[in-house]
Amino acid sequence: MRIDEEQNKCPSCGEEKKDPNKAKRKELAVSCMLNTEVGAVLAVIRRPSDPTSQYISAQEDHFDSTLLQSLKSLRALIFNPHQEWRSIDPSIYLSPFLDVIQSDDVPASATAVALSSILKILAVEIFDEKTAGARDAINYAVTGITSCRLEKTDTASEDAVMMKILQVLRGIMVHSASFLLTDHAVCTIVNTCFQVVQQFANRGDLLQRNARYTMHELIRIVFTRLPDITVNEGENSESDTDDADGDSSYGLRCAVDIFHFLCSLLNVMETGDYDGVTLSTADEDIQLFALVLINTAIELSGEVIGKHPKLLRMIQDDLFHHLIHYGTCSSPLVLSMICSTVLNIYHFLRRFVRLQLEAFFSFVLLRIAAFGGSLQLQEVALEGIINFFRQPTFTIEAYVNYDCDPIYRSVFEEFGKLLCKNSFPGNGHLTSLQIQAFEGLIIMIHNIAENIDKEDDSRTSDPYPVEITEYRPFFEEKPKDDFETWVEYIRVRKVQKKKILIAGNHFNRDEKKGLEYLKLNKLVSEPPDPRVYAFFFRYTPGLDRNFIGEYLGDPDDFHVDVLKEFTATFEFTGMNLDSALRFYLETFRLPGESQKIQRVLEAFSEKFYDQQPSEIFASKDAVMILCYSVIMLNTDQHNPQVKKKMTEEEFLRNNRGINAGQDLPREYLSELFQSISTNAITIFGQSGSQVEMNPSRWIELMNRGKLLQPFIVSDFDRRLGRDMFACVAGPSVAALCAFFEHADEDEMLHECIEGLISVARIAQFGLLDILDELIASFSKFTTLLNPYATAEETLFAFSNDLKPRMATLAVFTIANNFGESIRGGWRNIVDCMLKLKRLKLLPQSVIELNVAASASSSDNLTQLESESGIVFPNRDLKFSKGQSSGMVSRFSPFLSLESPEDSISLGMNEFEQNLKIIKQCQIGNIFSNSYNLPTDALLNLGRSLIFAAAGKGQKFSTPVEEEETVGFCWDLIICISLANINKFEAFWPSFHEYLLGVAQFPLFSPIPFAEKAIVGILKICQKLLSSYQADKLPEENIFKSINLMWKLDKEILDTCSEFITQSVSKIIIECPENVQTHLGWKTVLHLLSVTGRHQENYDQAVEALIMLISNNTHFSRINYAYCIDCAFGFVALKNSPLEKNMKILDLLSDSVNSLVQWYKSACSEPGSNYSVTSSVNTSSMEDNKGAGSLNFAMNLFIKLGEAFRKSSLARREEIRNHAVLSLRKSFTLAEELDFSSTNCINVFNLVVFAMVDDLHEKMIEYSRRDNAEREMRSMEGTLKIAMELLADVYLQFLKQIAENPGFRTFWLGVLRRMDTCMKADLGQYGETKLQEVVPELLKKMIMKMKEKEILVQKEGDDLWETTYIQIQWIAPSLKEELFPDDF
């Protein structure tokens, strides 16, 4: 602050002190200015009219003396030293100049100078709103200036004066005291400006521009003040009476009058002579000017208009009526301005114009855009629709307010489908209209995507679609109180509307089926509510009007109730009978029967009479009679068969005395006659005819608007967004794909891809079929799925055309970012990938599995690298929600490489260019990040890979190609399985079902599928078993699949033997504790046994088995039987190492200790006295308490004995003999087992007797061969050991055996076998050496039996006698020694 300014401040209060000298200088300046202006006016007045004359005449004599006197008087007061201009009434120094302006005699030049003087006075603001007399002065100034007279002037001077007038009027409005103007003064100013615009339209362009600019400024000033105007109680009504004080400042009244004036300008007509006919058409120039001003008023006033009922009513009624009327029949320029006006109204006042907006959309935008008379009009209408879609809130609000309400049109759906239809390319090049519609479609899709896919939106998506679970009246609107409840209500209403439209289609074919459909879908209450049918007939579009009329005219009581409710939906307030009847009969076809007509007209008459405020009709009967008369008049005037037409007088005469004995007003009847004669009532109109916005329809719309809920302002909700897009999803995807197919420009292709990404962002929230459809459609543009193209043709198209590359990148981008929402689309993605593989655009394997990766699902795979060096890093590519720029930007770098020349200039050959694109696809991440996929998506991906590996949908040119493809698919199956190993049970059962399904394919070849599959599944199995699984189902499922694969073709156990042996050995050695099921052990040990027979795998397999059996921790009841089978398989092999066979047999015999230990543990467990099926039934055993019985040990022992029995038949004598000795050892160790009498006999029958019988049979077989004495004697030696084992074991368990009721039979069996061996016929090889052994064994056994008093002579027991007889037959030499008493 400067020092002099500081000095002018008051030290106590800080206010600026008045500088007397400064005030004096200011007063002097004003005085000088006024003096100058007065002098200038006087000088012009005194100037001679003829400047060329040499005589100067006294001009003052030609003017009113009072005019000059007032100017001179003002000059005399100017330099009064005691006056202060701000305190002087402004009228004193304004009146002289205003007198000049209003004078008829002064020249135009003097008027112009006087106007300039007033403008200068206003500019320096000599007075302000606080000056005494300011109100009268400024209003008087308006009166004087608008009363300016220019009687004696030329055109140029008049234009100059008019320019000054405009400037002064604007100066008044911007003056600080302008708010003192009255409403009338402001309206006068505006009217004067418009008169200049209209009357001087043919004058100079400068004046016209100035007038329009001034008018615009005046509107801006008036409506800028509207938000500051307080709504008075008297003003807050729609009454036309003026409650404002005439002396008050301008405000709402002038705003209403001005706005009404602007609306009336839309109706300004101009006449013209066209071929001799005078026609009146709307003045387009005035309409455009009025629309500009209306837009300005709405933009400046904003939502404040809603607080002023008069203004609001004007917009709802007059303005919208004009906009709709002229919107259908105007030029493109006017239509464009109308669309802008409606858009502004939507922004600020949409809560109040719900029905009006629907009418504008229906009668203007939709109609012109679909059936426009010219391309330009269609483009303008489309642009209007697109501008609405550019608004962030329009899509959701249009859907909520219209599409989800059964009594409104589906505005959003119709707009969306219209854009799809207009953007759909034809056969030729893309037109501007198609491009424009496509851009609008993309805007709509982006708008939904940006709102539905917000990162901060954590709300879950409700199931789609919604089901109607109970009856809810669809014709009742629910206020938006609780948002969640309201959203659910809106979604149900949308479903109701959809069902109503379906019912309408049924109704048109069969009315009973249509109404029954309403009941089936819970749209009709029980008992039925007549209002349901009434609203169905009234608001469902496209219904057959004949059926409606017949239903409404039916005499049934319920039908009559429906008729009353149907008629109650109409609002006839403000209509005359003619308009009301026309509007009523538009909705149905009047039935032909007179009684039905009577019922319909009675309902109409009652409703019309109730809503007529006038006193024209005395009763509803008068209305009904007149209705009949009108219908008869309509038939008479417009039926060509009626030759003699009724005259007006006859019509009047026919209707005398119908109004309760009185006549109706003649004028009223005359208007009816003229209206009917001129325009027929469509009584028998056709269904589906185009409806026009006539005055009666507009009146009814305004009446309905008073009853219905206002426009709902709604925030975006993910559930509503999904439902919304589902309405247009099919056409949108079709339009996107068709446009992509026909587009040539890079920018258009880029927009297609952006639209594709946005559709995917929307579809991920429940519209999974749409996403699959999108992928399927775009996959065909990759050219990779063309079954008729050769590999060379496909490769050429891919390398030299931009579209296939963009489509490929788009498909795999969606797979990377929206894989969790893809279902059936995985098949297309896999097919594309496999085709790339065959074209050598993918390496042999996209990824390399790392089975030993971390247990964490996200770390199951290490960095993945293809064979050609393309790296697919293991990272999540999921883009930030709400931002698709990252994905779309991926397309930008290679868009610049459109031509081969560009690639060559960068030093890239065709292969490198393709490689770069494939690298951008990041195919590896689809699988390495598959742990993010939900179960459904994972199942579909796995199914696609499994079926592709099985050859479904694939064509292989060579076996090598087939093998590579199958291996590639299984690599990917392994990858996704390992990545999702933590949820293995959720997906693998389905995978197993897919494998079963594959086996049923016609012409299915298990090679190489099963070969690759078993390798892959074993890798998965190793990973699964690397950690403990509390649930045993995953283990069972994986082993089921392994068994399925090798059973498809058992040869794979040979071809893949090395890998299988390594895998199962690794399981046995590293994680045997995690194999918990019988199926698991059975499969592992079976595979080990089968593949270990190969010489190269034998050592590894046997070592794994020996390690397992040697480890008492992992050698368990579950795997015991399978270990025995596996061990026997190895022992039975030819040429196997003798030492290892001996070791295996020793381990098996020692395993009886484990059996004894398990048996003792089971006996010590409480509740062990149960019986379960034999443990040999391996498919049902489990290693837990109660999973076996006390008999399990004996069953396993029998299993072991049978293995030894089989081993005793081996070709090598050492193994046979060792097997028998091992069995003897086993019996010795097994004494503590449950060797009951029954068990002992079972063991003898299944093991000992069977072994002896087999060895004897084998010995006899060899005896009958030539040159087989060595083999025969070897077998005889083994049989000798077996016989000794028989005797030893018999004596070991003699006590238990003797207690069995079947002991006699058993003993005879022993004797029979002794006899058989004793009398064996060895043919040419002589006698058997067993004759020396058998007697000794018999002697030993009988002596023991005697000792134990088992073999004694007893009355009633023939055992002694039987034995005696048998000994006589077997070994007579023993008779005397064993039975001395019998001699």
Side-chain angles (χ1 to χ4, degrees):
M1 187 178 291
R2 297 193 305 269
I3 297 177
D4 56 345
E5 292 179 351
E6 286 287 350
Q7 292 175 348
N8 290 333
K9 293 283 186 177
C10 177
S12 60
C13 62
E15 294 182 359
E16 187 175 353
K17 297 184 292 184
K18 293 184 178 180
D19 186 356
N21 295 328
K22 184 177 180 181
K24 186 175 182 180
R25 286 196 302 271
K26 184 176 180 181
E27 294 295 329
L28 182 60
V30 172
S31 300
C32 292
M33 183 272 293
L34 287 174
N35 183 62
T36 302
E37 296 304 319
V38 171
V41 172
L42 288 173
V44 174
I45 291 175
R46 290 172 178 149
R47 188 171 57 190
S49 57
D50 184 8
T52 60
S53 174
Q54 58 180 336
Y55 301 102
I56 300 176
S57 59
Q59 293 292 326
E60 296 181 4
D61 296 339
H62 300 287
F63 300 109
D64 187 358
S65 59
T66 57
L67 184 67
L68 298 176
Q69 186 61 38
S70 63
L71 290 169
K72 293 177 180 178
S73 300
L74 176 59
R75 173 175 279 180
L77 296 173
I78 285 175
F79 293 102
N80 186 343
H82 301 292
Q83 70 183 0
E84 184 177 350
W85 286 108
R86 191 165 294 275
S87 61
I88 296 177
D89 187 344
S91 299
I92 295 176
Y93 47 82
L94 288 175
S95 297
F97 297 106
L98 293 173
D99 292 341
V100 173
I101 293 170
Q102 297 179 79
S103 174
D104 296 337
D105 298 326
V106 298
S109 55
T111 304
V113 173
L115 288 168
S116 298
S117 301
I118 292 179
L119 183 62
K120 186 175 293 186
I121 292 171
L122 294 172
V124 300
E125 293 200 355
I126 302 176
F127 66 96
D128 56 20
E129 68 278 9
K130 297 179 181 180
T131 303
R135 178 185 299 275
D136 294 337
I138 197 167
N139 282 283
Y140 176 63
V142 171
T143 303
I145 293 169
T146 56
S147 302
C148 175
R149 298 180 178 275
L150 296 173
E151 303 294 340
K152 303 175 181 179
T153 183
D154 54 65
T155 301
S157 300
E158 188 176 11
D159 289 351
V161 171
M162 297 309 300
M163 292 275 285
K164 288 292 183 182
I165 290 175
L166 295 173
Q167 293 174 8
V168 174
L169 291 178
R170 180 180 178 278
I172 292 174
M173 290 299 297
V174 299
H175 194 269
S176 60
S178 62
F179 74 90
L180 299 176
L181 291 169
T182 63
D183 292 313
H184 176 73
V186 174
C187 291
T188 302
I189 293 174
V190 173
N191 186 55
T192 301
C193 289
F194 178 73
Q195 287 180 359
V196 175
V197 172
Q198 189 177 30
Q199 295 176 8
F200 294 85
N202 298 324
R203 296 287 184 87
D205 185 60
L206 181 61
L207 175 61
Q208 188 68 204
R209 287 176 178 270
N210 198 295
R212 290 175 181 265
Y213 169 76
T214 304
M215 185 94 173
H216 191 274
E217 286 295 294
L218 295 178
I219 299 300
R220 184 186 64 80
I221 294 168
V222 171
F223 285 91
T224 300
R225 188 169 178 266
L226 188 62
D228 300 328
I229 297 176
T230 303
V231 181
N232 297 324
E233 184 177 353
E235 294 174 336
N236 193 18
S237 68
E238 297 183 19
S239 173
D240 294 331
T241 58
D242 184 13
D243 299 314
D245 186 358
D247 294 332
S248 63
S249 303
Y250 79 90
L252 180 61
R253 178 187 173 187
C254 78
V256 171
D257 291 344
I258 292 173
F259 200 86
H260 183 270
F261 169 70
L262 296 178
C263 292
S264 67
L265 294 182
L266 297 175
N267 252 342
V268 173
M269 309 298 289
E270 60 179 358
T271 58
D273 191 2
Y274 302 95
D275 296 331
V277 179
T278 302
L279 299 176
S280 296
T281 58
D283 191 334
E284 181 177 312
D285 184 60
I286 295 299
Q287 281 185 332
L288 289 172
F289 181 54
L291 287 170
V292 170
L293 298 180
I294 290 171
N295 268 332
T296 301
I298 295 173
E299 291 165 358
L300 294 173
S301 303
E303 60 275 4
V304 176
I305 294 178
K307 300 178 181 179
H308 302 289
K310 291 182 180 179
L311 268 178
L312 180 60
R313 179 71 176 182
M314 204 173 299
I315 289 177
Q316 292 172 326
D317 194 350
D318 297 352
L319 178 59
F320 254 108
H321 195 188
H322 291 322
L323 294 178
I324 293 173
H325 174 73
Y326 289 109
T328 58
C329 57
S330 298
S331 66
L333 185 57
V334 173
L335 178 60
S336 177
M337 284 301 302
I338 288 175
C339 291
S340 299
T341 304
V342 176
L343 183 60
N344 285 337
I345 296 173
Y346 166 79
H347 275 302
F348 301 112
L349 302 169
R350 58 182 180 274
R351 293 188 301 112
F352 309 102
V353 290
R354 184 178 183 181
L355 282 169
Q356 289 83 349
L357 284 173
E358 182 205 23
F360 179 77
F361 295 148
S362 302
F363 291 96
V364 180
L365 291 185
L366 284 170
R367 191 166 292 183
I368 294 177
F371 314 105
S374 66
L375 177 63
Q376 291 79 9
L377 279 173
Q378 279 187 287
E379 289 179 345
V380 171
L382 269 182
E383 187 60 34
I385 294 173
I386 295 169
N387 281 335
F388 274 99
F389 276 124
R390 287 192 175 101
Q391 315 312 312
T393 61
F394 176 75
T395 51
I396 185 64
E397 291 181 347
Y399 179 76
V400 166
N401 283 278
Y402 303 115
D403 292 62
C404 295
D405 196 319
I407 68 173
Y408 290 93
R409 290 186 68 167
S410 297
V411 171
F412 167 79
E413 183 175 351
E414 292 189 42
F415 275 176
K417 290 182 177 179
L418 178 67
L419 292 175
C420 294
K421 177 183 176 182
N422 285 350
S423 64
F424 210 90
N427 297 325
H429 294 289
L430 293 174
T431 64
S432 59
L433 184 68
Q434 290 168 346
I435 295 174
Q436 183 187 23
F438 176 75
E439 291 174 349
L441 178 62
I442 293 297
I443 290 171
M444 180 194 75
I445 294 173
H446 287 338
N447 188 306
I448 299 174
E450 291 299 323
N451 284 284
I452 200 174
D453 193 23
K454 289 183 178 179
E455 188 174 4
D456 56 350
D457 190 353
S458 59
R459 286 175 292 188
T460 58
S461 299
D462 290 344
Y464 176 83
V466 178
E467 297 293 337
I468 302 175
T469 58
E470 59 181 356
Y471 167 72
R472 300 182 185 180
F474 63 84
F475 46 84
E476 293 181 1
E477 287 190 285
K478 182 178 180 180
K480 182 183 173 184
D481 298 329
D482 179 66
F483 183 76
E484 288 299 321
T485 306
W486 177 78
V487 168
E488 189 270 340
Y489 159 77
I490 285 295
R491 297 185 69 203
V492 170
R493 285 201 92 191
K494 176 58 180 175
V495 178
Q496 288 178 325
K497 184 173 184 178
K498 183 178 180 180
K499 298 294 184 182
I500 289 171
L501 294 176
I502 297 174
N505 290 329
H506 289 304
F507 180 84
N508 289 339
R509 291 190 291 268
D510 187 330
E511 57 177 316
K512 293 183 179 179
K513 289 184 178 180
L515 300 180
E516 185 64 28
Y517 186 84
L518 291 176
K519 296 180 180 178
L520 291 175
N521 288 277
K522 299 181 178 63
L523 294 171
V524 180
S525 61
E526 189 60 42
D529 186 349
R531 291 182 298 171
V532 173
Y533 294 102
F535 277 83
F536 174 70
F537 293 144
R538 177 75 166 86
Y539 295 108
T540 304
L543 289 185
D544 191 304
R545 297 178 184 175
N546 294 327
F547 288 163
I548 298 175
E550 291 296 329
Y551 187 95
L552 296 177
D554 194 280
D556 182 82
D557 291 342
F558 184 76
H559 289 234
V560 173
D561 292 339
V562 173
L563 174 61
K564 291 180 180 179
E565 294 295 342
F566 176 82
T567 309
T569 63
F570 291 85
E571 289 293 329
F572 298 131
T573 304
M575 297 185 189
N576 58 21
L577 182 67
D578 169 35
S579 299
L581 191 58
R582 289 178 190 274
F583 184 64
Y584 185 66
L585 295 179
E586 279 181 358
T587 56
F588 63 94
R589 183 183 185 274
L590 197 63
E593 296 182 21
S594 60
Q595 292 181 348
K596 293 184 178 182
I597 294 176
Q598 179 180 353
R599 278 187 286 273
V600 171
L601 293 182
E602 281 179 354
F604 168 79
S605 301
E606 184 175 354
K607 179 70 174 179
F608 181 80
Y609 176 76
D610 292 340
Q611 293 185 338
Q612 290 303 307
S614 64
E615 301 298 331
I616 295 178
F617 294 99
S619 67
K620 64 179 181 180
D621 293 335
V623 177
M624 184 174 177
I625 295 172
L626 186 57
C627 286
Y628 268 110
S629 182
V630 167
I631 291 176
M632 293 175 62
L633 174 65
N634 185 75
T635 304
D636 176 87
Q637 294 294 308
H638 301 286
N639 190 335
Q641 296 180 356
V642 178
K643 303 302 180 181
K644 184 179 180 182
K645 305 296 183 184
M646 185 185 303
T647 64
E648 182 177 343
E649 288 299 326
E650 291 174 339
F651 177 73
L652 296 175
R653 185 170 58 252
N654 290 339
N655 289 288
R656 288 177 182 172
I658 65 173
N659 194 20
Q662 302 295 320
D663 291 343
L664 289 169
R666 182 183 181 88
E667 297 78 10
Y668 191 86
L669 294 176
S670 180
E671 288 179 5
L672 274 179
F673 180 86
Q674 296 300 328
S675 176
I676 300 300
S677 299
T678 306
N679 186 15
I681 299 177
T682 309
I683 298 177
F684 306 105
Q686 297 297 322
S687 299
S689 58
Q690 184 166 291
V691 178
E692 299 295 336
M693 179 53 76
N694 50 41
S696 59
R697 185 173 298 278
W698 183 257
I699 294 173
E700 201 270 344
L701 182 146
M702 293 300 299
N703 291 334
R704 280 178 58 206
K706 298 175 183 178
L707 305 176
L708 298 179
Q709 286 196 11
F711 193 95
I712 302 170
V713 178
S714 174
D715 295 328
F716 203 95
D717 182 82
R718 178 174 291 170
R719 294 159 292 181
L720 296 178
R722 177 190 55 200
D723 297 350
M724 178 197 319
F725 186 72
C727 300
V728 296
S732 297
V733 171
L736 270 176
C737 297
F739 199 89
F740 184 81
E741 183 178 6
H742 288 78
D744 295 323
E745 298 181 6
D746 293 354
E747 184 178 355
M748 293 290 101
L749 295 176
H750 198 71
E751 287 188 11
C752 285
I753 298 300
E754 290 180 345
L756 170 73
I757 301 299
S758 291
V759 170
R761 293 173 64 190
I762 301 169
Q764 66 179 320
F765 295 103
L767 302 178
L768 308 185
D769 292 342
I770 299 302
L771 189 57
D772 291 338
E773 180 186 348
L774 188 67
I775 293 173
S777 300
F778 259 79
S779 294
K780 69 180 182 180
F781 297 122
T782 64
T783 68
L784 300 174
L785 304 183
N786 185 356
Y788 305 105
T790 64
E792 293 76 12
E793 292 171 343
T794 303
L795 187 60
F796 179 83
F798 187 85
S799 303
N800 295 277
D801 191 357
L802 182 62
K803 286 183 183 178
R805 288 176 282 164
M806 290 190 71
T808 302
L809 184 54
V811 168
F812 285 109
T813 299
I814 291 178
N816 267 300
N817 293 281
F818 304 101
E820 67 274 11
S821 303
I822 301 175
R823 297 295 181 265
W826 282 118
R827 177 180 176 183
N828 302 98
I829 295 170
V830 169
D831 288 345
C832 288
M833 185 173 56
L834 294 181
K835 191 58 177 286
L836 290 173
K837 173 74 176 171
R838 291 181 206 154
L839 295 175
K840 308 302 180 184
L841 295 179
L842 280 183
Q844 180 67 22
S845 177
V846 175
I847 55 177
E848 294 180 358
L849 302 179
N850 185 354
V851 180
S854 168
S856 171
S857 62
S858 61
D859 297 331
N860 275 335
L861 300 174
T862 57
Q863 186 181 37
L864 309 171
E865 182 174 356
S866 68
E867 292 182 358
S868 60
I870 305 179
V871 176
F872 302 91
N874 183 22
R875 59 186 176 86
D876 189 4
L877 289 178
K878 185 65 180 177
F879 65 96
S880 175
K881 286 189 174 183
Q883 297 180 357
S884 59
S885 58
M887 286 183 292
V888 177
S889 63
R890 186 184 303 171
F891 294 82
S892 301
F894 84 93
L895 283 176
S896 59
L897 300 177
E898 180 180 357
S899 64
E901 294 76 8
D902 295 334
S903 302
I904 294 173
S905 64
L906 294 176
M908 297 174 60
N909 58 32
E910 185 177 283
F911 176 77
E912 291 174 340
Q913 181 182 354
N914 292 335
L915 204 61
K916 178 181 179 181
I917 297 168
I918 300 305
K919 184 176 180 180
Q920 289 176 328
C921 291
Q922 300 178 343
I923 297 175
N925 286 308
I926 299 174
F927 304 95
S928 62
N929 294 329
S930 62
Y931 57 84
N932 290 322
L933 296 179
T935 303
D936 287 346
L938 187 64
L939 293 180
N940 280 277
L941 174 56
R943 181 177 184 272
S944 300
L945 289 171
I946 292 173
F947 282 16
K952 186 174 183 179
Q954 308 298 319
K955 292 183 179 180
F956 306 112
S957 56
T958 64
V960 174
E961 181 181 89
E962 179 183 7
E963 185 173 356
E964 289 179 351
T965 302
V966 173
F968 177 71
C969 290
W970 272 105
D971 283 346
L972 298 179
I973 296 170
I974 296 168
C975 176
I976 63 174
S977 298
L978 295 182
N980 294 274
I981 201 73
N982 60 328
K983 50 183 177 181
F984 183 84
E985 183 55 30
F987 69 87
W988 192 260
S990 297
F991 279 21
H992 181 74
E993 292 298 323
Y994 302 152
L995 295 174
L996 288 173
V998 162
Q1000 305 300 321
F1001 283 176
L1003 305 177
F1004 168 70
S1005 174
I1007 300 297
F1009 178 85
E1011 189 177 77
K1012 302 294 183 181
I1014 196 167
V1015 172
I1017 298 174
L1018 278 171
K1019 291 180 180 180
I1020 300 170
C1021 180
Q1022 291 179 58
K1023 181 61 181 178
L1024 181 68
L1025 297 178
S1026 63
S1027 59
Y1028 175 75
Q1029 302 290 327
D1031 189 358
K1032 298 178 183 179
L1033 284 177
E1035 179 187 330
E1036 287 196 349
N1037 287 326
I1038 195 69
F1039 282 113
K1040 282 181 183 178
S1041 300
I1042 293 173
N1043 288 326
L1044 174 64
M1045 289 302 100
W1046 71 260
K1047 287 178 181 178
L1048 288 176
D1049 192 335
K1050 295 182 180 181
E1051 291 183 4
I1052 65 174
L1053 297 180
D1054 297 326
T1055 56
C1056 304
S1057 62
E1058 183 177 358
F1059 178 82
I1060 295 174
T1061 302
Q1062 292 174 356
S1063 299
V1064 295
S1065 298
K1066 188 174 182 180
I1067 292 173
I1068 292 173
I1069 295 171
E1070 295 184 0
C1071 52
E1073 67 280 0
N1074 295 330
V1075 183
Q1076 307 174 63
T1077 64
H1078 284 272
L1079 181 61
W1081 278 116
K1082 180 180 179 180
T1083 305
V1084 167
L1085 292 170
H1086 174 76
L1087 292 176
L1088 185 71
S1089 173
V1090 175
T1091 59
R1093 296 171 186 174
H1094 293 267
Q1095 185 176 359
E1096 64 273 14
N1097 305 325
Y1098 178 81
D1099 291 338
Q1100 183 179 9
V1102 171
E1103 288 299 326
L1105 178 63
I1106 291 174
M1107 183 176 294
L1108 176 61
I1109 298 177
S1110 302
N1111 191 332
N1112 292 329
T1113 304
H1114 303 133
F1115 187 48
S1116 63
R1117 296 184 335 192
I1118 293 180
N1119 58 29
Y1120 188 88
Y1122 311 121
C1123 288
I1124 293 172
D1125 290 336
C1126 182
F1128 170 74
F1130 287 132
V1131 171
L1133 288 177
K1134 298 179 181 179
N1135 303 321
S1136 57
L1138 187 60
E1139 315 81 52
K1140 291 191 176 180
N1141 287 339
M1142 298 296 187
K1143 186 174 182 179
I1144 292 173
L1145 292 173
D1146 290 339
L1147 288 172
L1148 289 180
S1149 62
D1150 291 339
S1151 69
V1152 177
N1153 292 321
S1154 298
L1155 285 178
V1156 173
Q1157 182 181 354
W1158 299 334
Y1159 176 73
K1160 290 180 178 180
S1161 298
C1163 290
S1164 63
E1165 293 176 0
S1168 59
N1169 54 342
Y1170 40 71
S1171 177
V1172 185
T1173 56
S1174 171
S1175 63
V1176 179
N1177 186 6
T1178 56
S1179 63
S1180 62
M1181 283 199 60
E1182 297 295 334
D1183 187 20
N1184 52 46
K1185 294 182 180 180
S1189 71
L1190 293 180
N1191 208 30
F1192 80 92
M1194 185 54 61
N1195 291 326
L1196 292 178
F1197 182 80
I1198 293 174
K1199 180 77 175 179
L1200 177 64
E1202 289 177 335
F1204 284 132
R1205 175 183 65 81
K1206 295 175 184 177
S1207 300
S1208 67
L1209 299 175
R1211 292 181 63 87
R1212 287 182 285 182
E1213 184 178 5
E1214 298 88 345
I1215 296 177
R1216 292 200 306 271
N1217 294 342
H1218 199 79
V1220 178
L1221 294 175
S1222 297
L1223 179 58
R1224 180 67 190 93
K1225 181 182 177 182
S1226 299
F1227 275 108
T1228 303
L1229 296 175
E1231 285 188 352
E1232 296 185 58
L1233 295 180
D1234 182 22
F1235 275 99
S1236 63
S1237 61
T1238 303
N1239 287 339
C1240 288
I1241 291 178
N1242 285 338
V1243 170
F1244 261 88
N1245 288 331
L1246 295 173
V1247 179
V1248 180
F1249 287 167
M1251 181 174 64
V1252 171
D1253 294 342
D1254 292 342
L1255 288 171
H1256 177 267
E1257 182 181 353
K1258 202 71 175 179
M1259 181 185 71
I1260 297 300
E1261 180 183 342
Y1262 280 123
S1263 69
R1264 295 171 182 171
R1265 296 181 185 178
D1266 294 333
N1267 303 320
E1269 183 176 4
R1270 177 176 173 273
E1271 289 84 356
M1272 186 272 293
R1273 294 299 177 186
S1274 174
M1275 192 62 67
E1276 184 183 34
T1278 305
L1279 179 57
K1280 174 189 172 187
I1281 301 173
M1283 294 299 293
E1284 292 173 349
L1285 177 142
L1286 185 152
D1288 292 342
V1289 174
Y1290 176 78
L1291 294 177
Q1292 181 181 352
F1293 299 104
L1294 178 58
K1295 180 181 179 182
Q1296 295 94 319
I1297 296 172
E1299 294 174 354
N1300 192 279
F1303 173 70
R1304 180 180 181 278
T1305 305
F1306 174 79
W1307 173 242
L1308 289 176
V1310 173
L1311 294 176
R1312 180 175 59 83
R1313 285 166 178 82
M1314 291 292 181
D1315 180 59
T1316 303
C1317 293
M1318 188 72 179
K1319 299 177 180 179
D1321 182 11
L1322 301 183
Q1324 59 181 332
Y1325 299 117
E1327 294 183 354
T1328 176
K1329 297 178 180 180
L1330 293 176
Q1331 292 177 354
E1332 302 173 0
V1333 177
V1334 171
E1336 292 297 327
L1337 297 177
L1338 278 172
K1339 179 180 178 181
K1340 182 179 179 180
M1341 288 189 290
I1342 292 174
M1343 294 299 291
K1344 191 69 173 179
M1345 291 172 66
K1346 286 183 175 182
E1347 181 184 344
K1348 296 292 185 180
E1349 296 183 353
I1350 296 173
L1351 185 62
V1352 294
Q1353 288 182 321
K1354 295 180 183 180
E1355 187 177 352
D1357 185 0
D1358 62 347
L1359 182 63
W1360 175 275
E1361 182 179 352
T1362 303
T1363 305
Y1364 174 79
I1365 294 172
Q1366 290 294 325
I1367 292 298
Q1368 268 189 320
W1369 179 258
I1370 299 170
S1373 61
L1374 296 177
K1375 181 174 62 172
E1376 183 177 351
E1377 182 178 357
L1378 296 177
F1379 303 100
D1381 296 339
D1382 292 343
F1383 291 92

